[in-house]
Amino acid sequence: MGRKCFALIKRLFPALGILLVFLVQVAIPDSSLHPESKHHYYEGLLFILLGMSLLFFALSFFVKKIREDLTEKGPFLLGAAGLVIVINLATAKFALLPVIFFPTYNNVLAVFVEQTSLLAKCVWYSFKLLLLGVFWGVLIGFITGVCLGFSKKVYYWINPYIKLIGPIPATAWIPLVLTTFPTPFGASVFIIALSVWFPVQLMTSSGIQNTSKVYFEVGKTLGAGTFFQVFKIAVPAALPNIFQGVFNGICAAFIALMTAEMFGAKYGIGWYISYQKAMMMYAGVYAGLVLIAVFCTVIITSLFKVRKRLLGWQKGLIKW
């Protein structure tokens, strides 16, 4: 009985945390040092979140999955609410931190509402850059990795150059690339592709080289040609390594994306953050950081969904 009561209380933790955050926001006035917000976006968001948390709490009595998730994550969400309160007190309420660098939650949320079209354009621009850069980086990295891993001659002639060029950070090439490519967009795509290419080819070639030679010998005995050995034996066996290379490449791509957009790009999340910082509008800087966090989380989560389908037998080895 005691355990059931405690589990019930843990399912209420998210709603309790949001309620505490709401009460602190309403009960304690903002410091006069902060610019006064004309709208109450933060309070409105908290009200919506409170309604959603109560709805999920009610559904937890009927849906086992929701009940288990709330029981597991309830304490963490309550702790996260405590962190939100501490930050709110240190910034908006008592202005313990420099006001110009640490705006209120309301002012940050106002950026999302009042600059929706510009932020959407920046997200779309960054998505196009990332998509093209990752596509070419993965494609060329995969081809290079297969050739290096499967052919000793290619490995002999090409690998020394890759060892020389690959470890250089892609962002170090930005000054040269910007003067070489006709447009900043093309230069940014190249920088992102370069940052993805090295980890993908490295992990692909390593995965193929570490594949047991017995598989290839059996394939030859059964009459398998080169194409079959590569795409039916080597590549499937190297898939875990390939995915690891892709994930490492994606992480490097985000760094290259944000850096490349700060040099000559017309739009993009990185450009937006750089522009807001130059204008000393740090509410926009934090809004851009939130966009990056959401953007990265969505893409990495999607990749893990694909990986889970292709490598179901490796479930639990790498978690996100």
Side-chain angles (χ1 to χ4, degrees), residues 18-304:
I18 296 171
L19 181 61
L20 290 174
V21 172
F22 185 82
L23 291 176
V24 169
Q25 175 64 18
V26 174
I28 304 175
D30 288 352
S31 171
S32 59
L33 297 176
H34 284 281
E36 185 178 354
S37 180
K38 299 178 181 178
H39 305 280
H40 300 284
Y41 298 122
Y42 182 50
E43 291 87 339
L45 177 62
L46 291 176
F47 188 75
I48 294 172
L49 292 176
L50 180 60
M52 292 176 60
S53 63
L54 291 174
L55 175 62
F56 279 112
F57 175 72
L59 291 175
S60 68
F61 288 96
F62 308 100
V63 182
K64 183 180 178 181
K65 176 64 175 174
I66 296 177
R67 182 165 60 252
E68 291 175 349
D69 287 345
L70 284 180
T71 303
E72 178 187 356
K73 298 176 182 177
F76 170 79
L77 294 174
L78 181 61
L83 179 61
V84 170
I85 290 173
V86 170
I87 295 174
N88 197 19
L89 291 174
T91 55
K93 303 306 178 183
F94 301 122
L96 300 178
L97 300 171
V99 171
I100 190 172
F101 300 119
F102 297 94
T104 64
Y105 290 142
N106 250 326
N107 290 333
V108 174
L109 289 173
V111 174
F112 288 102
V113 178
E114 297 166 7
Q115 300 184 27
T116 304
S117 59
L118 177 59
L119 290 174
K121 189 178 291 186
C122 288
V123 170
W124 175 242
Y125 187 91
S126 294
F127 179 74
K128 287 193 298 183
L129 272 180
L130 189 69
L131 185 66
L132 288 172
V134 170
F135 172 78
W136 287 112
V138 170
L139 179 63
I140 298 174
F142 175 76
I143 294 173
T144 308
V146 169
C147 293
L148 287 171
F150 196 77
S151 173
K152 292 182 179 179
K153 290 183 179 179
V154 174
Y155 184 86
Y156 175 81
W157 288 105
I158 303 299
N159 193 56
Y161 297 105
I162 292 178
K163 286 183 177 179
L164 180 66
I165 298 173
I168 300 175
T171 52
W173 297 93
I174 287 178
L176 179 62
V177 171
L178 286 175
T179 59
T180 305
F181 280 76
T183 63
F185 186 88
S188 300
V189 170
F190 177 81
I191 291 297
I192 296 168
L194 184 62
S195 67
V196 176
W197 161 76
F198 180 66
V200 172
Q201 73 81 23
L202 178 64
M203 297 307 298
T204 301
S205 61
S206 297
I208 293 176
Q209 288 172 348
N210 290 330
T211 302
S212 176
K213 304 301 180 185
V214 175
Y215 297 148
F216 296 108
E217 292 174 0
V218 172
K220 287 181 181 179
T221 303
L222 297 175
T226 302
F227 183 87
F228 187 95
Q229 290 184 51
V230 171
F231 292 100
K232 295 295 184 179
I233 299 176
V235 171
L239 268 182
N241 294 69
I242 294 173
F243 268 99
Q244 188 175 348
V246 172
F247 290 133
N248 292 338
I250 290 292
C251 294
F254 282 120
I255 298 173
L257 172 67
M258 295 301 119
T259 307
E261 285 182 345
M262 293 180 182
F263 296 92
K266 295 181 179 179
Y267 293 104
I269 304 175
W271 167 85
Y272 180 82
I273 292 175
S274 180
Y275 172 74
Q276 294 293 312
K277 180 174 177 285
M279 299 297 292
M280 299 296 288
M281 299 172 65
Y282 278 84
V285 172
Y286 286 105
L289 293 175
V290 171
L291 279 179
I292 292 175
V294 174
F295 192 53
C296 296
T297 301
V298 169
I299 291 177
I300 296 295
T301 302
S302 301
L303 281 174
F304 264 88

